[in-house]
Amino acid sequence: MIKQTYKKLSLAPIPYFWDRATVEDFYQQVADSPIDEVYLGEVICSKRRALGLNDWISIGQDLTAAGKEVVLSTLSLVEAASELSVMTKICQQDDFAVEVNDMSAVQLRTSHTKPSFTAGGSLNIYNQRSLDKLKSLGLNRWVLPHEHNQNALHAFDLTDIELELPAWGRLSLAYSARCFTARTHNRSKDQCGFICDQYPDGLAMKTQEAKDFLVINGIQTQSGTIQNHLEAISDDAVDILRLTPQQNNCFEVIDIFDQVRKQQMHVDEGQQKLAKCTIHPISNGYWHQQAGKDWVAAKQ
Amino acid sequence: MELVCPAGNLPSLKAAVKAGADAVYMGLQNATNARHFAGLNFTQKQMQQGIEFAQSRGCKVFLAVNTYPYCHDLDTWQQAVDTAADLKVDALILADMGVMDYTCEQHPDLNIHLSVQGSATSAAAVNFFAEQFNIKRAVIPRVLSIKQVAHLVNQSKVPIEVFGFGSLCVMVEGRCLLSSYATGLGPNNHGACSPAEFVEWKNTDDHLETRLNGILIDQVDKDDSVGYPVICKGRYEVNDHIGYAIEEPTSLNTLSILAELKAIGVAAVKVEGRQRSPAYVRQVTEVMRAAIDDCLEKPDSYRVRDKWNKTLGDLSEGQQTTLGAYYRNWQ
């Protein structure tokens, strides 16, 4: 068999609250896209119940039939017993791979008989010793946490681990018990009325000078910038480039990454085209050991 | 229920011990702990003096080594662990799995407490650290309602420590990148939120502004006061309205639920504030000591005294206090 010579593309879970029909349409398009790996599930707020675990499994089966590798993702911030019960089901099933997004899920997954897992970017893995510990428990793929720069990544021995780099989309910066979208509407989380469905790309939180800064997405705070790591397509340490769903131009972004990885489009042209896929500022600062919000242009 | 108090330096440590702390926690003068501020924390000699002072008076000493080292930093964190072992601290407060793994291997008799920075918000997460690293206690993030805390305490394999008073992290601890997004440096990778070198206070013609690495965090009329530019306590524009989109400047205060915390089996209550003055530490410790003593002696008739609330209120951010996530409607 000829080894695939270009990197894989993955699609992160949808971070926002989209209605059921939108989600189903979206994944039908994904089935026909060049995406290799699809992460599915609600990772932000367990109150969002437009789709339940069985619905995600059903979408996963359709995507598997379309030739995609499917991974079920777990909730990032776990508070309630009911959330642990859904997570337990995800961690104990064998039909799909699992992405663990907090240490609760690591515990539930590693008590499973065949405990392989992808470590999501919100697990705190900063050094080799931490990575090796989780590798000994079944980690076989690692989504690089945002605070690592390129040199820090190169310090790791990644033998037998696939490295996945978040390469397009807003950065996930923080999680809270409080729902900020509900707060904006003077509601508590328990009386939210699913108000976040009005913000399918998040809610902008600007400075008092009206500059883009952060984005509110329920209990999650995201970056106001779109992180763009197309440049990492030539980094040998990276096996998978991870793209985050967005409401507009998502499939244009996927096609640009696909063409660049297959060398059907030059990186520079890809960057120019990506710039047109969002109205928000772009960033890559963490990768260059700077503030996450910054953009460092490629050296000419 | 143990009272755990902050010791940012030797005078604060002595103030906490004299005011009745059951344990004090401290850090070294580098990025190995989550209060890496100039002029704060302990040299090895000061640590030794502090440990002697506290332990000889029946007060335990914990060392916080609770930030996350990158590969090339791991030696420094491991040295901090060795120092703690040499000086015979009562426990190490750790967050990083690699540092815990080293501690288990090199110092198996050293007690490990899981730091709040370890970000364990469920019994499953706490039990992971108990099974893998033999932790003896876990400090849990300020994201759970009191009912959820009770459930976690009930299901946990180790005793649980909760925050009782002090500055309020609104985001789950250990996974907040707001500061590093704005500056490159944050609690996990540098031990400080909004590091001072990025902070700017600026007077304009009619305003006082605070900026963090150039980003406007808040502005007030010239004669008003404005807090330190922590991102989650700033004022921003959302849907054409300017306000505290995340949280107002306020401090956590659990006096009103202390008896409940005791009843559900919480093992220890922690006071935040290693960056605060010895006078602050003394006053807060005295109030919390009196309140916990009342809880222990007569739990059924426990009542918050007005003077306690007044003292803590005056010491709070914005002179406001909250129960935070313990109170469901706050969420």
Side-chain angles (χ1 to χ4, degrees):
Chain A
M1 200 172 116
I2 298 167
K3 191 170 181 287
Q4 183 172 299
T5 52
Y6 44 84
K7 297 185 193 311
K8 289 198 271 189
L9 294 181
S10 72
L11 193 63
I14 300 166
Y16 309 108
F17 189 38
W18 292 357
D19 65 62
R20 188 187 178 102
T22 306
V23 171
E24 287 173 351
D25 285 353
F26 179 76
Y27 284 113
Q28 276 177 17
Q29 286 190 70
V30 171
D32 296 329
S33 77
I35 286 286
D36 303 293
E37 306 267 345
V38 187
Y39 290 82
L40 294 177
E42 175 56 51
V43 293
I44 305 300
C45 178
S46 62
K47 287 168 65 71
R48 297 170 174 175
R49 292 197 192 103
L51 288 94
L53 179 56
N54 289 338
D55 299 312
W56 291 115
I57 287 173
S58 168
I59 291 172
Q61 287 163 342
D62 292 347
L63 288 167
T64 305
K68 310 299 181 195
E69 280 188 46
V70 170
V71 184
L72 295 181
S73 295
T74 67
L75 200 65
S76 304
L77 174 58
V78 183
E79 293 156 336
S82 56
E83 294 166 350
L84 277 172
S85 118
V86 173
M87 195 177 274
T88 303
K89 286 181 193 159
I90 293 172
C91 290
Q92 290 184 350
Q93 56 79 43
D94 282 323
D95 295 335
F96 301 102
V98 174
E99 177 185 54
V100 298
N101 286 316
D102 110 304
M103 297 311 290
S104 319
V106 176
Q107 171 72 353
L108 296 172
R109 186 65 176 164
T110 53
S111 58
H112 189 54
T113 46
K114 285 185 290 181
S116 65
F117 60 90
T118 294
S122 64
L123 289 195
N124 282 326
I125 303 172
Y126 280 80
N127 51 65
Q128 187 75 47
R129 197 157 184 150
S130 300
L131 184 68
D132 288 346
K133 176 72 188 177
L134 290 183
K135 186 179 166 186
S136 76
L137 296 171
L139 177 151
N140 57 10
R141 182 185 292 171
W142 181 32
V143 181
L144 194 71
H146 295 318
E147 286 191 333
H148 285 281
N149 61 60
Q150 191 173 19
N151 289 335
L153 169 62
H154 291 167
F156 281 93
D157 172 4
L158 296 169
T159 307
D160 298 330
I161 294 172
E162 278 189 299
L163 192 282
E164 180 163 338
L165 180 74
W168 179 264
R170 290 207 174 90
L171 295 145
S172 176
L173 298 178
Y175 308 94
S176 175
R178 175 176 268 180
C179 176
F180 305 115
T181 312
R183 175 175 169 83
T184 296
H185 289 265
N186 292 314
R187 300 176 186 181
S188 71
K189 188 165 72 175
D190 287 342
Q191 278 80 41
C192 70
F194 304 106
I195 193 75
C196 59
D197 69 358
Q198 290 184 17
Y199 305 101
D201 249 339
L203 172 57
M205 190 176 115
K206 299 184 175 191
T207 69
Q208 292 182 51
E209 295 171 314
K211 289 190 177 156
D212 274 311
F213 181 29
L214 301 171
V215 166
I216 291 168
N217 174 38
I219 61 106
Q220 182 192 37
T221 308
Q222 300 182 317
S223 61
T225 58
I226 303 289
Q227 179 172 253
N228 171 2
H229 280 161
L230 181 65
E231 61 187 311
I233 213 151
S234 54
D235 190 313
D236 289 338
V238 177
D239 301 302
I240 306 169
L241 295 162
R242 182 182 179 102
L243 316 178
T244 300
Q246 61 187 38
Q247 196 188 19
N248 299 312
N249 301 326
C250 192
F251 293 93
E252 285 80 350
V253 170
I254 292 169
D255 284 338
I256 294 165
F257 273 85
D258 181 48
Q259 289 184 49
V260 174
R261 72 168 167 165
K262 290 174 178 163
Q263 298 185 329
Q264 294 163 356
M265 186 189 288
H266 191 266
V267 173
D268 293 346
E269 188 188 348
Q271 294 287 23
Q272 285 166 14
K273 292 197 162 168
L274 280 176
K276 292 176 187 157
C277 290
T278 178
I279 56 170
H280 304 289
I282 54 173
S283 61
N284 62 0
Y286 280 127
W287 191 242
H288 296 278
Q289 214 170 350
Q290 297 198 13
K293 68 181 176 61
D294 293 344
W295 171 255
V296 180
K299 290 189 184 112
Q300 295 296 317
Chain B
M1 194 162 67
E2 200 173 79
L3 175 60
V4 183
C5 293
N9 54 32
L10 205 48
S12 288
L13 179 143
K14 290 179 176 174
V17 173
K18 287 180 189 164
D22 296 305
V24 291
Y25 62 103
M26 54 163 74
L28 289 164
Q29 289 177 336
N30 57 26
T32 60
N33 73 92
R35 291 290 181 278
H36 177 208
F37 300 154
L40 206 65
N41 292 317
F42 290 71
T43 62
Q44 202 160 324
K45 191 175 170 200
Q46 289 164 340
M47 260 183 75
Q48 202 162 5
Q49 291 172 335
I51 291 168
E52 199 178 301
F53 184 90
Q55 289 179 342
S56 66
R57 287 162 179 78
C59 179
K60 294 182 211 167
V61 179
F62 306 152
L63 183 72
V65 183
N66 59 346
T67 46
Y68 289 93
Y70 291 105
C71 291
H72 62 271
D73 292 326
L74 201 51
D75 281 351
T76 308
W77 271 246
Q78 291 176 171
Q79 282 162 23
V81 169
D82 295 341
T83 301
D86 289 346
L87 296 178
K88 298 196 167 32
V89 298
D90 295 280
L92 264 173
I93 306 172
L94 305 181
D96 179 70
M97 284 181 278
V99 178
M100 281 186 230
D101 195 47
Y102 173 83
T103 307
C104 289
E105 182 187 282
Q106 296 294 321
H107 308 286
D109 296 331
L110 195 46
N111 291 324
I112 299 175
H113 292 183
L114 179 68
S115 169
V116 70
Q117 293 293 114
S119 214
T121 61
S122 75
V126 169
N127 291 342
F128 171 83
F129 290 101
E131 288 173 18
Q132 299 297 330
F133 304 106
N134 194 26
I135 61 165
K136 296 294 193 299
R137 180 186 291 186
V139 188
I140 56 169
R142 284 158 278 194
V143 294
L144 301 182
S145 68
I146 184 100
K147 274 188 183 168
Q148 290 166 342
V149 174
H151 184 73
L152 194 161
V153 169
N154 189 254
Q155 304 285 316
S156 168
K157 293 182 177 179
V158 297
I160 296 298
E161 177 174 318
V162 303
F163 275 87
F165 183 78
S167 290
L168 180 70
C169 271
V170 185
M171 307 304 183
V172 63
E173 294 91 332
R175 287 188 280 168
C176 179
L177 309 186
L178 293 178
S179 176
S180 77
Y181 176 68
T183 71
L185 302 177
N188 283 18
N189 67 1
H190 184 67
C193 178
S194 297
E197 61 264 39
F198 294 98
V199 169
E200 193 184 354
W201 308 77
K202 199 169 160 190
N203 274 303
T204 64
D205 288 346
D206 52 355
H207 282 104
L208 172 60
E209 296 176 354
T210 55
R211 289 179 185 270
L212 183 65
N213 201 17
I215 300 165
L216 182 65
I217 303 298
D218 202 0
Q219 56 182 358
V220 294
D221 289 342
K222 210 158 194 175
D223 300 326
D224 288 344
S225 63
V226 62
Y228 193 81
V230 176
I231 291 172
C232 60
K233 309 280 173 65
R235 277 188 290 185
Y236 307 99
E237 184 192 315
V238 182
N239 280 346
D240 300 322
H241 172 78
I242 290 173
Y244 293 107
I246 297 175
E247 177 59 309
E248 296 162 27
T250 182
S251 291
L252 177 74
N253 176 358
T254 59
L255 283 177
S256 64
I257 58 165
L258 266 189
E260 216 175 329
L261 292 173
K262 167 78 179 79
I264 62 177
V266 164
V269 171
K270 179 170 215 144
V271 174
E272 183 278 347
R274 283 193 283 133
Q275 72 283 19
R276 303 284 189 162
S277 70
Y280 173 100
V281 171
R282 176 182 59 77
Q283 286 177 281
V284 176
T285 305
E286 282 173 353
V287 169
M288 295 301 287
R289 177 76 273 158
I292 290 176
D293 285 347
D294 270 13
C295 270
L296 299 180
E297 285 161 21
K298 36 194 173 180
D300 296 335
S301 61
Y302 172 79
R303 292 282 178 278
V304 180
R305 297 185 200 174
D306 290 345
K307 64 175 183 183
W308 298 344
N309 264 341
K310 166 113 184 44
T311 304
L312 295 191
D314 288 348
L315 295 169
S316 293
E317 278 184 58
Q319 281 72 55
Q320 290 191 80
T321 67
T322 174
L323 276 172
Y326 292 121
Y327 176 58
R328 186 80 201 183
N329 282 352
W330 176 91
Q331 303 186 14

